[in-house]
Amino acid sequence: MDLRIFTEPQQGASYDHQLAMAQRAEQLGFDAFFRSDHFLRMGDGDALPGPTDAWTTLAGLARETSRIRLGTLVSSATFRHPGILAVQVAQVDAMSGGRVELGLGTGWFAEEHAALGVPFPEKRFRMLEEQLEILTGLWSTPAGETYSFDGRHYQLTDNPGLPKPVQASVPVVVGGNGPRRTPRLAARFASEYNQSFPEKDAVAPQIARVRAACEEAGRDPDELTYSVAFVAAVGSDEAEVRRRADAIGREPAELREHGLAGSPAEVLDGLGQLAEIGVTRVYLQCLDLTDLDHLDLIADAVMAKVG
């Protein structure tokens, strides 16, 4: 099972905080460092130092790391124009030597859009579908040819599809818990299907829906990686679990129920249950970006035993 670190820098983290965590995650052997794509703090608390742009940050990290994979969970279709996003992702992929992955979703945080002055349409799923079609179309257009698209939301004319990513195919992460449209979208475009913060008893039924959508589309369901994201709060003893829960404004019992929390043995048990239902990748949401010792403990007492 792959273990990845996932952060929410809009909650109060500078580029330097993110760099320190990404570099520590790389040193410890984690598979990837992912971040959210948000510009407004959620909930109460100190908003300083202010937001950082996801793709600007990943470009910096691309030059200051060497092995770890980098990506978004997830970029919002409302923030990004697909023609420009295709260039940004391809450039960061080149800057990283082919280590970028793109998570893309519809966006959901209405207050954030109001604060930024960004339109927040009521219906956004078709936007996401068109963006995925455009991005994959641009990257797969042979050199010397052009790509055009005439959709409801986006129109592109004679785009040369440049620059090309270093990777032959940038991994695309599609997520969401919708029972019908999301599985079909994952089957069509994704290399990975992600469920972020689901109810644990909902994970297996949704994986089954995605696998069925792949079969309906004539695609081998085993081509997809099935992943989940859960908040992590791991401690060597109960006092440390409590301290880490307090630092992110949560309760240990609630984190145990809805996240991956408690002792290393408890977290290993939770990962084992996820593996049994077909999950092969887990994003550990580490909300306190100053707590690098948290990564040390997870690497030593959890990741080393996952195999």
Side-chain angles (χ1 to χ4, degrees), residues 104-159:
L104 193 63
T106 59
W108 61 272
F109 192 14
E111 293 87 346
E112 176 179 46
H113 290 73
L116 292 170
V118 174
F120 187 65
E122 181 180 350
K123 296 182 178 181
R124 303 178 301 282
F125 196 90
R126 181 63 179 270
M127 291 176 63
L128 173 60
E129 184 175 14
E130 289 189 12
Q131 287 212 10
L132 288 166
E133 186 167 346
I134 290 167
L135 289 162
T136 54
L138 286 169
W139 291 332
S140 62
T141 297
E145 298 183 16
T146 60
Y147 176 85
S148 296
F149 182 85
D150 185 17
R152 182 184 304 173
H153 297 282
Y154 306 102
Q155 296 80 41
L156 283 70
T157 302
D158 295 336
N159 188 306

Side-chain angles (χ1 to χ4, degrees), residues 142-266:
E145 298 183 16
T146 60
Y147 176 85
S148 296
F149 182 85
D150 185 17
R152 182 184 304 173
H153 297 282
Y154 306 102
Q155 296 80 41
L156 283 70
T157 302
D158 295 336
N159 188 306
L162 298 172
K164 297 300 183 193
V166 170
Q167 298 175 90
S169 179
V170 172
V172 172
V173 183
V174 169
N177 299 319
R180 294 179 299 276
R181 299 178 72 184
T182 298
R184 289 198 295 266
L185 205 63
R188 182 179 175 192
F189 293 109
S191 57
E192 175 180 337
Y193 171 69
N194 175 263
Q195 297 178 68
S196 290
F197 319 114
E199 294 298 325
K200 292 179 181 177
D201 60 3
V203 175
Q206 185 68 356
I207 288 177
R209 293 186 192 102
V210 175
R211 293 184 67 89
C214 287
E215 291 172 352
E216 184 179 343
R219 183 178 182 186
D220 182 355
D222 291 333
E223 289 180 3
L224 264 69
T225 296
Y226 299 91
S227 68
V228 294
F230 286 115
V231 63
V234 189
S236 56
D237 54 35
E238 192 58 28
E240 193 168 62
V241 174
R242 164 63 68 176
R243 175 174 64 79
R244 291 200 160 109
D246 287 345
I248 60 175
R250 305 280 287 270
E251 290 294 327
E254 180 267 328
L255 286 171
R256 283 183 164 98
E257 180 180 358
H258 297 291
L260 289 167
S263 67
E266 288 177 277

Side-chain angles (χ1 to χ4, degrees), residues 92-110:
V92 178
D93 195 49
M95 293 170 73
S96 69
R99 293 183 284 124
V100 158
E101 302 183 15
L102 171 64
L104 193 63
T106 59
W108 61 272
F109 192 14

Side-chain angles (χ1 to χ4, degrees), residues 32-45:
F33 177 85
F34 271 54
R35 57 154 290 164
S36 61
D37 191 356
H38 285 293
F39 293 93
L40 187 69
R41 181 184 174 88
M42 300 164 194
D44 298 329

